[in-house]
């Protein structure tokens, strides 16, 4: 890899839990990578992947370049559940020509899902270390030591740079925050960014279509639950 960016360089947010992290990187061949952690099965993995690919695609071709110059983009989703229940250590999604399942269409997008709940007996040593590390943080060899060091560096860099969440991202996801638990996460996340009570209430009114009274109550309830 020749360039690695912490999450807030592109998405303006970074949320870490244990060793889990989101990273954008580009190698010396110009291939762009996005590594994402998924710790809960929301039954929307294909849709999530398509959105992340869309974000990478915006950086894959400069204005004025021919489409053949599009950089290859790779999205890795590291999941602590088996999304397809086949027990495979990883799944690769690809575009097919309808009616010709053996005919692959290379649009320079690669999507890989890593299953952390797979049977590790058939994996290589490095793969077993990776699975153990992402499952419970175990460092058991040279590979996982390097992985742990890389994660620590990314986390420290994100903390130094600050944790951000853009209004545009929240607006795009407003329907997903309809449930109370998600609303609490949103409010406490904004509060962690040092947004004031008034700013958060205004945000709730604008992006969640709440009345003044509803926004005030949502803020007060969220902060009380988080206390």
């Amino acid at each position: 890899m020749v360039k690695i960016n912490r999450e807030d360089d592109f998405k303006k947010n970074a949320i870490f839990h244990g060793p889990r992290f989101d990273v954008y990187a580009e190698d010396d061949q110009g291939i762009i990578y996005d590594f994402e952690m998924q710790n809960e099965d929301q039954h929307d993995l294909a849709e999530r992947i398509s959105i992340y690919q869309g974000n990478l695609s915006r950086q894959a071709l400069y204005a004025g370049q021919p489409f053949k110059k599009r950089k290859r983009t790779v999205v890795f989703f590291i999941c602590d559940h088996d999304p397809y229940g086949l027990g495979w250590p990883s799944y690769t999604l690809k575009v097919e020509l309808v009616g010709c399942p053996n005919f692959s269409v290379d649009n320079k997008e690669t999507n890989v899902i890593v299953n952390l709940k797979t049977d590790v007996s058939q994996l290589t040593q490095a793969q077993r270390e990776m699975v153990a590390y992402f499952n419970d943080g175990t460092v058991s060899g040279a590979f996982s030591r390097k992985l742990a060091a890389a994660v620590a560096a990314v986390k420290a860099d994100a903390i130094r740079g600050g944790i951000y969440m853009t209004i545009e991202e929240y607006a795009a996801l407003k329907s997903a925050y309809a449930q109370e638990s998600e609303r609490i996460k949103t409010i406490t996340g904004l509060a962690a960014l040092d947004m004031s009570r008034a700013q958060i209430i205004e945000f709730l009114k604008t992006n969640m279509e709440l009345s003044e009274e509803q926004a005030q109550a949502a803020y007060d309830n969220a902060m009380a639950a988080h206390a």
Side-chain angles (χ1 to χ4, degrees), residues 24-57:
Y24 288 87
E26 184 173 343
D27 67 15
D28 54 4
Q29 301 298 313
I31 301 174
I32 305 173
Y33 301 86
D34 176 27
F35 297 85
E36 298 290 333
M37 290 300 303
Q38 185 69 22
N39 61 4
E40 190 175 334
D41 189 359
Q42 300 287 346
H43 305 289
D44 59 2
L45 199 52
E47 291 86 352
R48 286 175 181 266
I49 288 173
S50 70
I51 295 299
Y52 283 101
Q53 275 289 0
N55 287 336
L56 293 188
S57 295

Side-chain angles (χ1 to χ4, degrees), residues 41 45-46 49 53 74-94 109-119 123 127 130:
D41 189 359
L45 199 52
I49 288 173
Q53 275 289 0
V74 183
V75 171
F76 282 91
F77 259 82
I78 303 173
C79 300
D80 68 355
H81 59 278
D82 187 343
Y84 301 116
L86 299 177
W88 297 0
S90 65
Y91 301 95
T92 300
L93 310 183
K94 64 180 182 179
E109 293 182 1
T110 301
N111 303 300
V112 179
I113 301 168
V114 177
N115 172 22
L116 294 179
K117 299 307 181 185
T118 189
D119 179 1
L123 302 182
Q127 289 171 331
M130 181 193 72

Side-chain angles (χ1 to χ4, degrees), residues 91-113:
Y91 301 95
T92 300
L93 310 183
K94 64 180 182 179
V95 178
E96 292 182 349
L97 184 64
V98 174
C100 301
N102 295 322
F103 189 99
S104 296
V105 178
D106 185 11
N107 60 356
K108 293 190 175 180
E109 293 182 1
T110 301
N111 303 300
V112 179
I113 301 168

Side-chain angles (χ1 to χ4, degrees), residues 1-218:
M1 298 295 177
V2 296
K3 182 172 64 176
I4 298 177
N5 299 287
R6 66 177 185 267
E7 188 180 26
D8 62 11
D9 283 335
F10 291 106
K11 294 163 61 179
K12 298 302 180 187
N13 72 78
I15 302 174
F16 297 100
H17 180 70
R20 299 175 178 181
F21 67 103
D22 295 355
V23 172
Y24 288 87
E26 184 173 343
D27 67 15
D28 54 4
Q29 301 298 313
I31 301 174
I32 305 173
Y33 301 86
D34 176 27
F35 297 85
E36 298 290 333
M37 290 300 303
Q38 185 69 22
N39 61 4
E40 190 175 334
D41 189 359
Q42 300 287 346
H43 305 289
D44 59 2
L45 199 52
E47 291 86 352
R48 286 175 181 266
I49 288 173
S50 70
I51 295 299
Y52 283 101
Q53 275 289 0
N55 287 336
L56 293 188
S57 295
R58 291 182 299 180
Q59 306 162 48
L61 189 70
Y62 291 109
Q65 283 189 313
F67 289 107
K68 290 289 288 184
K69 292 291 186 179
R70 183 198 192 279
K71 294 180 179 180
R72 185 169 297 279
T73 53
V74 183
V75 171
F76 282 91
F77 259 82
I78 303 173
C79 300
D80 68 355
H81 59 278
D82 187 343
Y84 301 116
L86 299 177
W88 297 0
S90 65
Y91 301 95
T92 300
L93 310 183
K94 64 180 182 179
V95 178
E96 292 182 349
L97 184 64
V98 174
C100 301
N102 295 322
F103 189 99
S104 296
V105 178
D106 185 11
N107 60 356
K108 293 190 175 180
E109 293 182 1
T110 301
N111 303 300
V112 179
I113 301 168
V114 177
N115 172 22
L116 294 179
K117 299 307 181 185
T118 189
D119 179 1
V120 300
S121 63
Q122 302 300 314
L123 302 182
T124 66
Q125 176 63 29
Q127 289 171 331
R128 288 197 296 270
E129 288 185 33
M130 181 193 72
V131 169
Y133 178 75
F134 281 108
N135 273 323
D136 55 25
T138 298
V139 175
S140 56
F143 179 81
S144 53
R145 282 196 295 273
K146 291 181 180 178
L147 182 59
V151 170
V154 171
K155 291 174 69 174
D157 194 25
I159 292 171
R160 284 195 299 269
I163 298 175
Y164 305 95
M165 184 71 77
T166 65
I167 297 300
E168 290 79 8
E169 285 178 314
Y170 269 108
L173 293 172
K174 65 180 179 180
S175 61
Y177 295 136
Q179 297 182 357
E180 183 64 19
S181 60
E182 293 299 331
R183 183 177 296 167
I184 290 173
K185 291 179 183 178
T186 301
I187 293 170
T188 55
L190 293 174
L193 305 180
D194 293 326
M195 289 182 67
S196 68
R197 183 177 188 274
Q199 288 174 320
I200 294 175
I201 288 174
E202 188 61 31
F203 175 89
L204 296 175
K205 290 164 56 180
T206 302
N207 295 286
M208 294 187 178
E209 301 177 350
L210 300 180
S211 67
E212 178 73 21
E213 293 75 16
Q214 290 172 327
Q216 290 178 1

